[in-house]
Amino acid sequence: ESKTLKIASVPGDGTGPEVTAEAIKVLAAVAEIEKFHFEVEPLDWGGDRYLRTGEIIPEGGLDLLRTKDAVFLGAIGHPDVAPGILEKGLLLDLRFKLDQYINLRPVKLLPGVETPLAGRKPSDIDFVVVRENTEDLYCGVGGYLKKDTPDEVAVQQAIYTRKGCERCIRWAFEYTRQRNSPKKMLTLVAKTNVLTFGHDLWYRTFEEVAKEYPDVKTDYNHVDACCMWMVKNPDYYDVIVTTNMFGDIITDLGGILQGGMGVAAGGNLNPDSGGVSMFEPMGGSAPKYAGQNVINPIAAINAMAMLLEHSGFPIAGRKIDAAVAAVTGTKMKSQAAGKMGYSTEEVGDLVVESLS
Ligand code: IPM
Ligand code: MN
């Protein structure tokens, strides 16, 4: 196999560069074992460059990404840049312009990792959220009327399209079928009792697409009930498919159930042929820990495993998963920054040593 895996890396802000370095260190080690070639092109996009140049995604940047097999994103968020600018100008723009319509967020408790749920073991917390990633309240459609007056009106519209929900729902069915867990169940999470237009479209589409997957059990939860159930009975779930905004919220809940931002990772997938996907640790740039070699790189390493799994190197991805589980299970004291018992670089080294 002579295919070279071409990755664009955007280490980004704060602790992003430190965790990205560890993920790439692990990539290099697994590539050596699995005997494949890779190239990483680092891109300095993020808060510092924006403050220097006023530019977030430079001219030609998207076309450059389109020549790659995948994008790796460390973290964005800079203390000197107003909230929303980099989020919208970098992260959301990449998701939208590369049409990464699936946000895949596994919620998996690894061995040795502490969950806030009393008495829960890794076998109890192992489900996946498929979050729609291009529509809903994230479209940025809306406006003001009589801004800055006592009569101000603000409108923020949730956009749902048949095409947008259908491609996400179909992908989720396909994924549930392939995951093939004993439950083999796809749960639609929405709010059909209140969002009687948009979520009715989702519900009807879900029911229709379900007919093509008679082997997959279907299920529906309102999002508020889902939040209770995720805490009370996380073992109930196999795969959840949901809208963008609800998916954002429930995957932070999922993230803490699996041990927090030190471990949670996600993939922004464009599964179409020629599509470019982007993988990221779920946590932010944690500027207060930047440059101290104390941040947890496990989430970034997990994101690299996902990148490999979805870019044609599934065995390499699974080897990283196994090495990470060995390190969390037998070495690390905690998943919290500064409390791991090891530095950022040492955790990366431990994962490398555990690869086989
Ligand atoms: C996430 C983040 C982003 C989102 C923010 C930073 C725009 O919270 O990836 O979940 O809301 O999608
Ligand atoms: Mn979020």
Side-chain angles (χ1 to χ4, degrees):
E1 179 57 77
S2 62
K3 181 182 181 276
T4 296
L5 175 66
K6 285 189 257 150
I7 299 175
S9 150
V10 181
D13 306 317
T15 51
E18 289 165 71
V19 298
T20 300
E22 298 314 306
I24 291 172
K25 185 200 275 178
V26 173
L27 167 66
V30 83
E32 179 128 0
I33 293 169
E34 286 299 302
K35 304 201 187 322
F36 67 88
H37 296 284
F38 71 95
E39 290 165 13
V40 176
E41 180 164 350
L43 302 169
D44 69 349
W45 307 355
D48 286 324
R49 184 193 170 113
Y50 172 69
L51 290 170
R52 223 171 47 238
T53 67
E55 216 173 32
I56 300 183
I57 297 177
E59 178 102 28
L62 284 167
D63 285 331
L64 173 66
L65 298 188
R66 290 192 184 99
T67 67
K68 305 293 182 184
D69 296 306
V71 181
F72 188 89
L73 181 67
I76 53 149
H78 193 293
D80 302 334
V81 180
I85 299 199
L86 296 168
E87 288 85 341
K88 201 166 184 333
L90 186 57
L91 184 62
L92 298 181
D93 230 40
L94 290 179
R95 288 177 183 171
F96 290 171
K97 291 191 173 145
L98 298 174
D99 205 20
Q100 294 164 339
Y101 58 88
I102 302 295
N103 195 329
L104 186 66
R105 298 190 159 178
V107 179
K108 189 174 164 67
L109 181 64
L110 294 175
V113 174
E114 200 183 330
T115 173
L117 298 186
R120 291 298 187 177
K121 309 175 298 301
S123 58
D124 296 328
I125 303 178
D126 184 5
F127 60 95
V128 179
V129 179
V130 177
R131 166 185 171 191
E132 200 287 324
N133 212 28
T134 59
E135 300 197 332
D136 199 356
L137 285 163
Y138 279 77
C139 289
V141 174
Y144 301 106
L145 191 64
K146 303 185 187 173
K147 190 166 185 226
D148 294 324
T149 76
D151 297 325
E152 177 162 351
V153 178
V155 177
Q156 189 95 42
Q157 285 179 319
I159 310 284
Y160 305 99
T161 69
R162 171 73 197 213
K163 178 182 159 189
C165 68
E166 185 173 340
R167 64 185 181 173
C168 176
I169 288 167
R170 180 167 281 106
W171 192 90
F173 271 105
E174 206 61 54
Y175 181 81
T176 309
R177 175 179 274 173
Q178 273 159 39
R179 180 170 150 94
N180 202 25
S181 86
K183 290 174 210 137
K184 219 182 195 185
M185 178 173 79
L186 180 61
T187 303
L188 171 64
V189 169
K191 186 76 181 172
T192 54
N193 53 348
V194 175
L195 305 181
T196 52
F197 307 112
H199 289 202
D200 180 57
L201 172 61
W202 268 75
Y203 193 86
R204 282 183 283 116
T205 306
F206 184 77
E207 299 256 276
E208 269 181 49
V209 176
K211 293 186 190 132
E212 298 166 34
Y213 297 87
D215 54 316
V216 175
K217 197 172 158 215
T218 58
D219 176 45
Y220 173 81
N221 287 176
H222 290 318
V223 65
D224 46 352
C226 168
C227 289
M228 293 203 292
W229 209 241
M230 271 172 70
V231 170
K232 190 169 188 296
N233 285 99
D235 50 313
Y236 174 77
Y237 293 108
D238 180 13
V239 181
I240 288 174
V241 63
T242 191
T243 54
N244 203 348
M245 187 77 255
F246 291 169
D248 176 49
I249 297 165
I250 69 168
T251 55
D252 263 32
L253 177 53
I256 202 70
L257 299 187
Q258 70 175 121
M261 291 303 145
V263 296
N268 304 273
L269 312 181
N270 177 336
D272 298 345
S273 83
V276 179
S277 301
M278 174 167 74
F279 299 83
E280 46 172 343
M282 252 174 66
S285 59
K288 70 172 178 180
Y289 295 121
Q292 295 174 40
N293 202 14
V294 296
I295 196 76
N296 189 348
I298 291 290
I301 294 168
N302 285 338
M304 185 59 81
M306 289 182 79
L307 183 155
L308 289 166
E309 188 187 328
H310 291 273
S311 308
F313 298 90
I315 296 169
R318 269 180 251 127
K319 286 200 167 170
I320 296 179
D321 289 340
V324 166
V327 172
T328 61
T330 65
K331 309 272 184 198
M332 295 172 76
K333 291 195 178 67
S334 156
Q335 300 302 315
K339 300 186 177 148
M340 303 183 290
Y342 300 93
S343 68
T344 305
E345 288 174 11
E346 283 168 340
V347 171
D349 292 340
L350 286 171
V351 175
V352 167
E353 285 160 27
S354 303
L355 284 168
S356 55

